Amino acid sequence: MAIHHLHAAVKAARRAHEVEVANSSAEHGPWFDELLHAVPMAVIMAAAAVEAQANEAIQDILDGMGTAQATDAQKVLLRELKDSSASNTLDKCRHVALVFGQVPDRGRTEWEEANLLFVFRNRLIHFKPAWDHEEVHDSKWVRALKQRIPVYAPYATAFQFPYGFITYGAAKWAVTTALAFAGHIAPILGVPNRFDGQSYALP
């Protein structure tokens, strides 16, 4: 499912690009609803692709497709990790790496970006309305995202979440972040990168 989740994210990102280009000189209006549909879809599905890829990586190892052969004890740990909903996806990847003696550098850009992707995804899925003065609009993770993705112009000076991040740039960032993390973590876990050989090109 990881491949299909990411294809869904890419399709949503491409749609966001089409809408943004078609309305580049237009005032804020009903067309923005199209972005409200496409951009969160891209973010949510990109994060879902990373989650699916992590679980599929564990199954690859259990099926003997990894470079390291798991012992019976390691297989027990891996099955518990795959079935667990207690830890987040990035922790799960780290734990799998540790099982095989690898210590990932979580200070790397790929980990930082992926963590932001999941924060963004969670804030969209578990959306809570907030007044303009509330902390969410100027939180640490919002400031971090502003350094990575363009803000929708009408909200540039008086930012509001999520509307300020409803841009094609946000959708593209989500897809590229998912791809970068997958490309980084697959060799650490000793499994194939499922996204290799797929077409995920974006404008």
Side-chain angles (χ1 to χ4, degrees):
M1 290 302 295
I3 289 173
H4 303 294
H5 286 340
L6 200 55
H7 276 303
V10 169
K11 286 182 179 179
R14 289 172 181 163
R15 178 58 184 155
H17 181 261
E18 291 172 358
V19 173
E20 207 168 78
V21 169
N23 295 278
S24 59
S25 59
E27 294 184 359
H28 181 76
W31 62 268
F32 186 69
D33 287 351
E34 286 286 328
L35 287 182
L36 279 169
H37 303 159
V39 176
M41 175 66 74
V43 173
I44 291 167
M45 294 311 293
V50 176
E51 288 189 338
Q53 188 255 5
N55 289 325
E56 289 170 5
I58 295 175
Q59 190 61 54
D60 283 345
I61 297 169
L62 290 171
D63 292 342
M65 295 172 61
T67 56
Q69 295 301 306
T71 65
D72 288 342
Q74 288 172 328
K75 287 180 180 178
V76 171
L77 285 172
L78 291 171
R79 290 190 186 99
E80 289 178 355
L81 276 172
K82 189 184 75 166
D83 295 336
S84 172
S85 58
S87 61
N88 66 42
T89 298
L90 301 186
D91 286 342
K92 185 177 290 188
C93 289
R94 176 176 177 270
H95 291 154
V96 174
L98 292 173
V99 166
F100 292 102
Q102 300 291 324
V103 183
D105 179 3
R106 290 182 291 174
R108 285 181 57 110
T109 300
E110 295 91 346
W111 289 80
E112 292 179 355
E113 299 294 291
N115 183 65
L116 265 178
L117 173 61
F118 281 107
V119 172
F120 194 4
R121 187 278 305 269
N122 291 343
R123 289 288 184 160
L124 288 171
I125 287 183
H126 307 292
F127 178 74
K128 296 175 183 176
W131 293 107
D132 294 357
H133 66 275
E134 293 188 57
E135 183 266 347
V136 64
H137 304 296
D138 191 38
S139 57
K140 181 179 179 180
W141 62 270
V142 163
R143 293 195 296 272
L145 278 174
K146 283 182 178 179
Q147 297 174 7
R148 292 159 169 82
I149 60 180
V151 172
Y152 178 48
Y155 296 95
T157 54
F159 184 86
Q160 290 182 26
F161 178 82
Y163 304 107
F165 287 145
I166 302 301
T167 63
Y168 165 65
K172 183 175 183 178
W173 171 83
V175 171
T176 56
T177 294
L179 285 168
F181 184 76
H184 166 70
I185 198 64
I188 292 175
L189 303 184
V191 297
N193 180 358
R194 276 182 156 68
F195 303 133
D196 281 347
Q198 299 292 313
S199 177
Y200 296 117
L202 288 173

